[in-house]
Every structure is written in structure tokens, then in C-alpha cells.
Amino acid sequence: MSQIAINTSQNVNINFNTASVGERMLAFIIDLLIRVAFVVIVFYTFFNILDLGYLLSGLDQWSVMAVYIVLTFPTYIYPVVFESLTEGQTPGKKLMKIRVVKIDGYQASFGDYMIRWIFRLVDVSFAGVVGLVSMIITKNNQRLGDIASGTAVISLKNNINISHTILENIHEDYIPSFPQVIALSDNDMRIIKDNYTKALKIDDRQIITKLSNKIKSILKLEIDATQMTERQFINVIIKDYNYYTGKDT
């Protein structure tokens, strides 16, 4: 399994395992089965339960085809809708624990998911051979849609514990210092903690300083107003976030 280095907003590279071709194919099959099940249910409801088949008897071939397209339309937009609403995951990807991400470290946008969806028409051509070959020969297992949108599919199956999450043990009598942390998102805090943990392991003081200054800038805090060392400050920020969001354990 190859790895991909994604540059975060703090200019720190974090390595992720790319999803294997097998994982992506299984996710595709799961999504395909869901879409097939949807079509079966819709057609059974239309023709058997509601008994509306007679409406098609007087229509020409193109009109009948148009009705079929309308009935099955959700299956066509299935990938782009789910990836947009669930941050890069369809039900199949969620079950396989893989996700679409931007290689540049930013959150993928609707436009990125749309580009992947449009290029799917090319990727699935020749029984999917085009997309399969692309994933095999590219460094990050990217199909053409991934290359065009600047995305990749990563695996979320890494072994993690509390030190790799936004969770932090805090005492019941803990008193927070920076209520401004509520302006941060879960994703922001995961990036902060992951970068901080990595920097501590290699004693990278430059990264710790950049991270501390970045947090103070986002929260609009004076650089020297905290009366804490940079490490103390980041530790407090992590604990405060868990305190205010109720994510203590």
C-alpha cells in the first residue's frame, strides 16, 4: 500500500495510506448494488404497486426513455451527491473506510466532486478498463477524475488511539482559558493535534512555533498575550476545545 503526503494549511506534510485498487473496486461494487436495488424498488413500485405502466403505452420510444431516465435519475447523481454531503464518502466508501481528499490539503469542494463525476464517464468506458489502468499506473492510485480534480482516495483504516484524535483527557474541575476555541472545527483540531504530536516526537521547535502562531492568528490572540510557552499554549488549546465541545473522555 503506497502513501501520499498531503500538505496541511500549516505547511506540514502528513502521510496517509492511499486506498488500494481492491478497496476502491469493492466500494464501487457496493455502491452499484445500492443503485441497482433502488432501480428495482422504483420500477416495482411504478409498474406493480402503483400500476402506472399503462401511461407508457401511448408514448413513442424517446418519451418512454425519458420517463425511465427521470425514474432512475438519482442513480446517476448518486456519487457526486453523497461525496458532497458526507465529505468525500459514498456508502460504499464509508463501508470500506476510504475517503476522497484534496492532495493540496484543502477540503474538496462541490466543484471537485463534480469534476470526478464528469470524468467517471471516461473512467468507466471499455467496461471500466480506462479507470482501472489509470489507478494501477499512477503513483497515488488515481483515476482520470482524481487527476483532473487534484484529489486522491485515502484509507482511514490506520490504527489510532486517543493521542491521534481530537480527544483529550481533562479533569472535571478543569477551567478553560480560551473560549475563542469554539471558532475551530473538529477538522481544524485534528490537524492541530496531529501536527503537534508529530512535532513533539522529533522536537521540531520551528513547526511548534509556526503552529502556535497560526492558532493565535486564527483566534485573534496577541502573540505574546498568553503568558505561556508555545507548548503549554497548544496543550491548553486542545484541552479547551474538548472542554467546550464536550469531547472529553
Side-chain angles (χ1 to χ4, degrees), residues 28-199:
F28 175 80
I29 292 173
I30 293 171
D31 289 327
L32 179 61
L33 291 175
I34 293 174
R35 284 185 279 183
V36 169
F38 173 83
V39 171
V40 170
I41 293 173
V42 168
F43 275 38
Y44 182 80
T45 301
F46 185 85
F47 288 102
N48 295 85
I49 297 178
L50 300 178
D51 195 22
L52 298 177
Y54 70 91
L55 296 176
L56 304 180
S57 59
L59 301 178
D60 58 47
Q61 181 180 357
W62 292 107
S63 297
V64 171
M65 185 177 297
V67 172
Y68 285 162
I69 290 176
V70 171
L71 292 175
T72 59
F73 183 71
T75 65
Y76 307 137
I77 61 174
Y78 173 99
V80 68
V81 169
F82 272 107
E83 288 178 357
S84 300
L85 295 178
T86 59
E87 297 184 347
Q89 287 186 302
T90 60
K93 288 184 176 70
K94 191 173 185 66
L95 287 173
M96 294 305 301
K97 296 183 179 180
I98 60 178
R99 182 191 299 275
V100 178
V101 297
K102 286 284 286 183
I103 294 178
D104 60 14
Y106 290 92
Q107 175 66 46
S109 66
F110 176 77
D112 297 318
Y113 298 129
M114 180 64 74
I115 291 173
R116 297 183 79 254
W117 180 69
I118 293 173
F119 272 83
R120 189 181 297 270
L121 298 175
V122 180
D123 286 318
V124 300
S125 58
F126 299 102
V129 172
V130 174
L132 180 60
V133 171
S134 178
M135 286 190 289
I136 292 175
I137 65 176
T138 54
K139 177 182 177 182
N140 297 320
N141 297 346
Q142 295 169 290
R143 62 178 180 84
L144 297 182
D146 291 318
I147 297 173
S149 60
T151 61
V153 181
I154 62 170
S155 174
L156 304 176
K157 295 178 182 178
N158 298 326
N159 294 324
I160 61 173
N161 53 44
I162 192 171
S163 65
H164 299 109
T165 70
I166 61 175
L167 300 179
E168 189 76 15
N169 287 311
I170 56 178
H171 297 291
E172 293 183 1
D173 58 352
Y174 179 79
I175 300 176
S177 302
F178 302 105
Q180 297 94 327
V181 295
I182 60 174
L184 300 173
S185 66
D186 282 359
N187 189 53
D188 293 331
M189 188 52 60
R190 286 192 185 95
I191 293 174
I192 290 171
K193 188 167 185 181
D194 191 60
N195 292 341
Y196 181 55
T197 301
K198 291 177 182 294

